[in-house]
Amino acid sequence: MGEQDFVRKKGSRLFIGEEPYRFAGPNIYWLGLDENVGGIDWPTPFRVINALDTAVMMGANAIRSHTLGVSAGHPKSLMPQLRELNEDAFVKVDFALHEISKRGLRVIIPFVCNWRYYHGGKSTFTEWRGLEDENAFYTDTEVIADFKWYIEQVLNRRNTISGVVYKDDPSIMAWELGNELNSAPAAWVEDICSYIKGIDQNHLVSHGKQFEIDTDKLDIPQLDIMDVHYYPADSGELSADAKVVSGAGKVFIAGEYGWSYGELHAFLKEAELNEDISGTCFWSLFGHDDHGGYVQHYDGFSVHYPGSGLNQDHLNRIQLLRGHAYQIRGRIVPEEEITDAPLLLSAAEGRISFRGVSGGAFYTLEKSTEGPEGPWTTIIERRPANDGGGWKDPLRVKTVKAYYRMKALSLGGEEGPYSEPVESEAF
């Protein structure tokens, strides 16, 4: 990506060069720091790559990711303590941004969160200054200076992998002032927008609250994008909000929406057909676990593509998300192609655990008792659930050494490559 590849604003629309730009994709909030791995830790390279590959397979051309910017107050945060930076944490963000760029994706990155979550929020900044009222985040001069200092460090960070300074990275679509800043005063929004633009003239700036339009911010010149969230997905509200924001000359996006209930089809169709809507990001995508199966997050909105252990309605809704990502860009929905092989983690005593692949809807297990070159016999064919473990060879003979291999298949039956054979000793 070069200078001509930045996402720009013209009126109430987005462009890359002279081409209109509209987007769809997931929120992958945990790319910089995760809470879903038995504690708070950085996601492994596999998990970052697997999630981004899955997003691309779902048709995404953009994502939104909180923890690439919202990261304060934890030992593994970008800023563990006030005005102290964590180089190890920044290297993890470097990696994620580099992988995002390699896939031609764009990312929206918030700087802070309204809520008291593990990745830190506005309360983290106020508590560092001994303030009990977290809304002093918007008024206390020391806290505002601290927040600006943090923003400056992020904007001027040089990626240790690509060598690109964040403020010069075209894969970043926009900086978002914060996630769901419901009570942000207009004066504060204008001040922070101006501060960002004073350092970074390349990127757009976004703002939004949890629900509804923050209408008193629509006349702030330095603000480019208004982000509204929808739980449930409501096409009427979406249309009405887009009209107001577009009429004020701002870009309108639905930065989050719930996909698992409500009138999803009508919501997505409105987004596709309504030119006042520049993009949508569903909440939220999780990929495969390093140790088998999918990473679980029990909020009722976790997408495990193409679906595992879900009812048919949810499986259908996940396919709607994929179709929408192509439709909003005016693209034909392609057939899925499985390019990766599963990783067999263990086959001890004929008990199979494995790590799945992007787009794997079914898995087939084969066995050889003659050697790693075969011949191979199918013992489990097209099992629909990737639980990553609990599979058992139904023909296991204790006294016979065996070898196992697997392949994944897409929903349409497209076969991927075989895994490397794994040996299971006699027992």
Side-chain angles (χ1 to χ4, degrees):
M1 293 183 183
E3 168 67 25
Q4 73 280 4
D5 294 316
F6 283 97
V7 179
R8 307 292 191 189
K9 172 182 177 291
K10 297 180 182 180
S12 61
R13 304 289 190 269
L14 297 176
F15 285 79
I16 297 178
E18 297 302 315
E19 294 295 319
Y21 177 75
R22 301 181 76 204
F23 68 88
N27 280 270
I28 316 178
Y29 74 85
W30 47 267
L31 286 176
L33 187 63
D34 194 15
E35 61 177 328
N36 300 282
V37 286
I40 299 171
D41 202 354
W42 299 305
T44 61
F46 163 77
R47 285 195 54 217
V48 172
I49 289 169
N50 179 256
L52 293 176
D53 284 347
T54 302
V56 171
M57 184 169 284
M58 292 186 71
N61 60 337
I63 66 171
R64 183 170 173 263
S65 185
H66 295 52
T67 57
L68 298 183
V70 184
S71 188
H74 186 272
K76 293 192 172 183
S77 294
L78 295 178
M79 186 166 64
Q81 300 293 333
L82 180 60
R83 298 199 180 213
E84 294 181 7
L85 301 179
N86 183 344
E87 176 64 18
D88 291 338
F90 266 104
V91 168
K92 303 299 183 182
V93 175
D94 292 345
F95 176 79
L97 286 175
H98 184 59
E99 293 296 321
I100 287 167
S101 179
K102 283 166 58 176
R103 289 159 178 78
L105 294 166
R106 310 301 171 125
V107 60
I108 300 169
I109 303 176
F111 282 121
V112 72
C113 188
N114 189 59
W115 312 109
R116 291 173 175 262
Y117 291 147
Y118 74 99
H119 47 53
K122 65 182 194 290
S123 62
T124 308
F125 284 84
T126 54
E127 287 169 2
W128 275 331
R129 291 297 180 181
L131 302 173
E132 295 182 1
D133 179 9
E134 65 182 53
N135 283 322
F137 178 79
Y138 301 119
T139 57
D140 186 89
T141 55
E142 281 190 313
V143 173
I144 291 172
D146 294 336
F147 185 49
K148 287 180 176 179
W149 183 88
Y150 175 69
I151 290 172
E152 181 181 7
Q153 308 315 303
V154 175
L155 296 180
N156 287 321
R157 165 74 179 184
R158 184 177 295 277
N159 192 308
T160 55
I161 301 171
S162 68
V164 178
V165 178
Y166 287 10
K167 66 183 179 183
D168 298 326
D169 186 349
S171 66
I172 298 171
M173 183 197 312
W175 302 109
E176 191 169 327
L177 302 187
N179 176 56
E180 299 182 341
L181 297 180
N182 293 335
S183 55
W188 180 89
V189 170
E190 184 167 9
D191 180 34
I192 302 301
C193 285
S194 297
Y195 184 76
I196 294 170
K197 292 291 183 81
I199 299 172
D200 179 357
Q201 293 82 44
N202 288 321
H203 291 109
L204 304 172
V205 178
S206 174
H207 168 69
K209 42 191 267 193
Q210 189 176 13
F211 304 115
E212 303 176 344
I213 305 166
D214 226 355
T215 53
D216 63 336
K217 317 302 189 301
L218 291 175
D219 61 351
I220 295 175
Q222 302 89 343
L223 180 62
D224 302 300
I225 300 172
M226 190 63 75
D227 175 5
V228 182
H229 297 174
Y230 296 90
Y231 297 91
D234 186 300
S235 60
E237 290 182 6
L238 181 72
S239 175
D241 291 345
K243 183 177 181 180
V244 171
V245 173
S246 179
K250 303 297 184 187
V251 173
F252 172 83
I253 69 171
E256 292 183 22
Y257 64 93
W259 62 273
S260 58
Y261 67 103
E263 48 164 34
L264 181 64
H265 182 270
F267 181 88
L268 298 180
K269 188 57 63 178
E270 176 64 29
E272 293 159 19
L273 298 177
N274 189 337
E275 294 287 333
D276 288 340
I277 300 168
S278 290
T280 68
C281 288
F282 68 81
W283 186 269
S284 67
L285 182 65
F286 288 86
H288 292 94
D289 194 300
D290 293 278
H291 308 294
Y294 287 105
V295 174
Q296 301 296 325
H297 181 75
Y298 301 99
D299 67 351
F301 301 106
S302 300
V303 171
H304 295 137
Y305 184 80
S308 176
L310 299 175
N311 61 45
Q312 192 59 49
D313 175 62
H314 279 187
L315 293 173
N316 293 341
R317 286 169 177 263
I318 289 174
Q319 286 304 307
L320 285 176
L321 297 177
R322 181 171 189 258
H324 166 68
Y326 287 102
Q327 293 291 336
I328 199 170
R329 297 190 283 146
R331 304 286 183 86
I332 301 298
V333 182
E335 294 294 326
E336 294 167 313
E337 181 180 358
I338 305 292
T339 59
D340 296 323
L343 176 65
L344 273 167
L345 300 170
S346 175
E349 300 184 1
R351 300 179 185 276
I352 311 300
S353 64
F354 66 96
R355 198 164 71 185
V357 299
S358 297
F362 311 100
Y363 292 82
T364 290
L365 179 69
E366 299 179 359
K367 180 174 75 172
S368 169
T369 56
E370 297 186 25
E373 303 301 322
W376 297 95
T377 300
T378 298
I379 56 174
I380 297 177
E381 187 170 11
R382 290 176 59 93
R383 178 169 286 186
N386 173 24
D387 54 16
W391 289 30
K392 186 176 181 180
D393 178 357
L395 304 177
R396 186 72 172 103
V397 178
K398 292 184 179 181
T399 57
V400 178
K401 178 187 292 188
Y403 297 84
Y404 296 91
R405 69 178 187 178
M406 300 185 74
K407 64 181 176 182
L409 297 88
S410 70
L411 279 174
E414 178 73 25
E415 297 183 357
Y418 282 103
S419 66
E420 291 295 320
V422 170
E423 179 181 342
S424 178
E425 295 284 350
F427 64 101

